Amino acid sequence: MAFYRDRLFLSTDDALFSSRLGDFDNFFISDPSTVTFQDPIDLKVSSNKYTPITHLTPYRDFLFLSTSGETQYELMGSENQISPLSAEIAPTSFYPMNERVAPISLNNNLFFYANNRLYIYFGTTTTAPQPAFEVSKHAPNYLPRDFWDVTTSSAHNTLFVVEAEGDSPTKNIFCFRNVISQEQVVQNAFFKHEVKTGDIQSINTLGDFLYTITREETSNGSKLVINKMNLYPDTVEIPRLDKLCKKDITVTFNNTVNKSKIVLSGNTVIDWDQGIIRTGKRIGEIVDVVFDSYDTLTEESIYLADGDWTGNTNMWIGTKYTAQAIMSPLFVRDEQNNVIPGSFNLRYGVFRHFNTGKYSVKVTRKKRNPITYEFNPKVLGDSDMSYGANIIETSGTFKFSILGFSDDMNIEVFSDFPQSMNITNMEFTGKFKRLPHFLTS
C-alpha cells in the first residue's frame, strides 16, 4: 500500500490498482462508458514471468514496485501525469530482492536488500549507465542472508537493518554509512552492532536517536522494552552500559561474607551486572553486581556485590559489553582511491583519541598467538588524578608495534570499560614496495 500522486495504491499478487484521484476510499469508475483521468488505475505487472508485487515505494517522479520475481518496475505516465489513460508499468532492472524488508530512501537515494547484498537504485530518469548497482560488492558475504526490519537516519547518512534467522529476529544490527560530497563518494562503509538486549522486534530512528523494541526477561516476567541509543556521543559522565538506568539504592553490608546487599525498587533487568555510583561516598567507582532475588510484596529487586558499598544512595546500572572493532586489510591507495598493488610492511600504528577510557589493541601475526597492547588513561600517582573522577584522557595518542605484512596481520581494538572508547584517527607507518607496472597493466 502507498499514497502517490493523490491516489491510494494497493497491490495483490501481480496486480496494481488505485483509488480515484483525491478520493482514497473510492475504487470504482464513475461512468464505464467514458474513462477519465480521475478514474482508478488497474494494471498487471507480469509479462514473460510471474512477478508478485511485495512493496510499493514512492520515489522521485515514479512509483517503485518491488517483486519476488527478481524484477523491479516503475509506474510512469506521459507528461508527468499518472492516470488510467497514461499509466504504464515498465521493468527497469533485474536483481533479487529481500521480500521481508521494503526498499528505503536515504538522502535522495533508494536502497534495497537482497541475500547478502545491498543495492542502490538510480532509476531510468538519471544519466547512470545502469539503473541499479550493488554497493556491497567490496564486502562480499559481510551482510546476512535474511533481514527483519530496516530504518534510516538521514541526519547521519546511515542505514540500519536487523538480521533475521528463519522467522525470528536476532540481536545484530548491520549498518551502512554512505556520505556523498557533490558527485564523489566520500565514505561507503559497513559495520555491525551486536546488542546485549533481547532479540530486536522493531527498529526506528527519531532525530539523533535509534530506538529498538526488544523482548526482555525482567525481575517480574517477560516484557517488551523500548531501548534508546544516542547516535551522537554521550557526555563523559554517562557510562557505556546496555540497558542503562538511574536507580535509587539502599545498601546493607554483611561483614561475615564481605558482601553488600543492594536493593532497587521498580522494574529491573535480571542480567544487569555493573553499576557506577552517582551519589554517596564513592562517586564514580565501578561496582560489579549479581542478581539475587525479587520480592513480590515490596516489588524490590536484590543484587549482591563484593565489598562494603554502604553510604551510597544512587547509581547508574546496566549490562556491560565489549566494544570491538576488527579492522579490514590495509591497502595503499592513489588519489582516486584505487588500490595500488604491492607489499606493505607495517611497522607501527598510532591512534589518536579524545575523551577516551581504557582500550586494548590486539595484533595477530599469521594466526600466531596475539599480542595485546593496553592503553590506560590514568596512572596511579598521577598529580591530575582525583578520587572518584571519570577515568578518561581528554586528548592524546597511543603507539603500538605491528611488525608484519598487511596481508598477514589481524588488528582488533576492543574495550569492556564503562567509559567510552573514542578513537578519532588511526595512522599506520610502514614500508611499501609497489609491483612493477608491467605486472599490473
Side-chain angles (χ1 to χ4, degrees):
M1 182 176 71
F3 290 96
Y4 180 66
R5 297 289 180 88
D6 206 21
R7 296 176 185 268
L8 172 61
F9 281 87
L10 302 173
S11 68
T12 177
D13 294 331
D14 64 340
L16 175 72
F17 54 96
S18 79
S19 67
R20 290 178 58 83
L21 185 68
D23 192 359
F24 297 145
D25 57 357
N26 189 344
F27 293 86
F28 299 95
I29 299 175
S30 59
D31 185 0
S33 63
T34 306
V35 177
T36 67
F37 74 95
Q38 294 179 327
D39 286 329
I41 299 171
D42 190 351
L43 297 170
K44 287 273 191 178
V45 300
S46 297
S47 54
N48 298 331
K49 182 180 179 181
Y50 178 61
T51 52
I53 300 171
T54 55
H55 300 284
L56 303 175
T57 309
Y59 177 63
R60 292 182 181 172
D61 57 349
F62 59 85
L63 184 66
F64 182 73
L65 280 66
S66 312
T67 72
S68 59
E70 299 189 358
T71 305
Q72 293 77 48
Y73 297 88
E74 292 180 10
L75 172 66
M76 300 176 292
S78 63
E79 299 180 355
N80 205 26
Q81 297 293 323
I82 303 292
S83 74
L85 304 174
S86 62
E88 176 188 1
I89 294 179
T92 55
S93 58
F94 304 90
Y95 294 95
M97 298 187 70
N98 185 275
E99 298 181 29
R100 183 174 284 151
V101 297
I104 194 164
S105 59
L106 174 65
N107 293 342
N108 205 33
N109 293 310
L110 188 67
F111 294 88
F112 62 86
Y113 285 92
N115 295 345
N116 308 114
R117 293 177 175 88
L118 174 63
Y119 293 90
I120 183 172
Y121 185 81
F122 302 107
T124 56
T125 58
T126 64
T127 57
Q130 55 190 40
F133 177 77
E134 183 190 347
V135 296
S136 58
K137 186 175 292 186
H138 66 288
N141 296 321
Y142 181 78
L143 291 174
R145 182 171 180 81
D146 201 3
F147 308 91
W148 184 262
D149 196 13
V150 64
T151 189
T152 65
S153 173
S154 296
H156 297 270
N157 304 295
T158 307
L159 275 168
F160 303 92
V161 66
V162 179
E163 180 186 9
E165 289 184 356
D167 294 327
S168 302
T170 67
K171 303 177 182 180
N172 298 326
I173 303 173
F174 284 82
C175 310
F176 170 68
R177 181 170 169 82
N178 179 252
V179 182
I180 298 176
S181 177
Q182 296 179 351
E183 295 182 355
Q184 188 174 14
V185 177
V186 178
Q187 187 180 32
N188 188 32
F190 290 90
F191 56 98
K192 183 177 76 169
H193 184 66
E194 183 178 350
V195 300
K196 290 193 70 174
T197 62
D199 293 340
I200 301 170
Q201 307 295 321
S202 181
I203 187 170
N204 211 335
T205 58
L206 182 62
D208 294 319
F209 293 93
L210 177 70
Y211 293 86
T212 60
I213 296 178
T214 61
R215 185 170 294 279
E216 305 291 343
E217 295 299 324
T218 68
S219 54
N220 56 350
S222 177
K223 293 187 176 182
L224 289 175
V225 176
I226 298 177
N227 306 278
K228 182 174 74 171
M229 181 189 302
N230 196 346
L231 298 178
Y232 277 120
D234 285 322
T235 60
V236 295
E237 291 80 13
I238 300 177
R240 270 53 175 181
L241 296 172
D242 275 339
K243 309 172 188 175
L244 183 66
C245 283
K246 288 185 287 188
K247 286 285 186 180
D248 291 328
I249 58 175
T250 303
V251 185
T252 56
F253 177 62
N254 187 333
N255 189 49
T256 305
V257 296
N258 191 33
K259 286 186 179 292
S260 293
K261 182 171 75 172
I262 303 175
V263 180
L264 290 76
S265 60
N267 288 330
T268 58
V269 180
I270 292 176
D271 59 356
W272 277 345
D273 55 13
Q274 194 170 81
I276 312 290
I277 301 299
R278 296 184 67 244
T279 58
K281 296 190 302 184
R282 302 172 67 173
I283 296 175
E285 290 198 43
I286 301 171
V287 51
D288 291 324
V289 299
V290 177
F291 178 77
D292 180 64
S293 60
Y294 178 74
D295 191 329
T296 56
L297 295 177
T298 61
E299 295 186 347
E300 293 176 333
S301 297
I302 299 172
Y303 290 78
L304 301 179
D306 292 332
D308 184 2
W309 292 92
T310 56
N312 303 296
T313 57
N314 189 276
M315 68 189 298
W316 292 104
I317 189 167
T319 306
K320 60 185 176 183
Y321 66 94
T322 299
Q324 180 186 44
I326 301 175
M327 301 188 61
S328 57
L330 297 171
F331 299 101
V332 176
R333 298 177 181 271
D334 59 19
E335 295 180 354
Q336 285 73 40
N337 207 30
N338 299 313
V339 174
I340 303 175
S343 59
F344 189 18
N345 191 351
L346 295 166
R347 302 294 176 85
Y348 60 87
V350 177
F351 286 0
R352 303 183 188 277
H353 47 249
F354 176 75
N355 282 345
T356 192
K358 183 170 65 175
Y359 64 86
S360 301
V361 180
K362 184 166 68 175
V363 178
T364 307
R365 304 176 182 89
K366 284 189 175 180
K367 298 183 179 180
R368 298 177 184 174
N369 292 332
I371 300 176
T372 301
Y373 304 92
E374 186 174 281
F375 170 75
N376 281 295
K378 295 290 183 181
V379 179
L380 188 63
D382 188 344
S383 60
D384 295 330
M385 184 67 173
S386 58
Y387 180 76
N390 290 309
I391 307 176
I392 62 170
E393 182 167 281
T394 303
S395 180
T397 60
F398 178 56
K399 184 177 179 179
F400 58 94
S401 177
I402 301 177
L403 301 177
F405 288 98
S406 61
D407 293 342
D408 302 328
M409 307 304 297
N410 182 35
I411 302 174
E412 177 183 335
V413 190
F414 62 94
S415 173
D416 59 359
F417 200 61
Q419 303 299 336
S420 65
M421 177 181 68
N422 190 14
I423 299 172
T424 59
N425 179 264
M426 298 181 180
E427 298 178 3
F428 296 92
T429 300
K431 186 176 181 180
F432 178 70
K433 183 178 181 180
R434 177 169 182 160
L435 286 177
H437 287 281
F438 67 86
L439 294 177
T440 59
S441 58

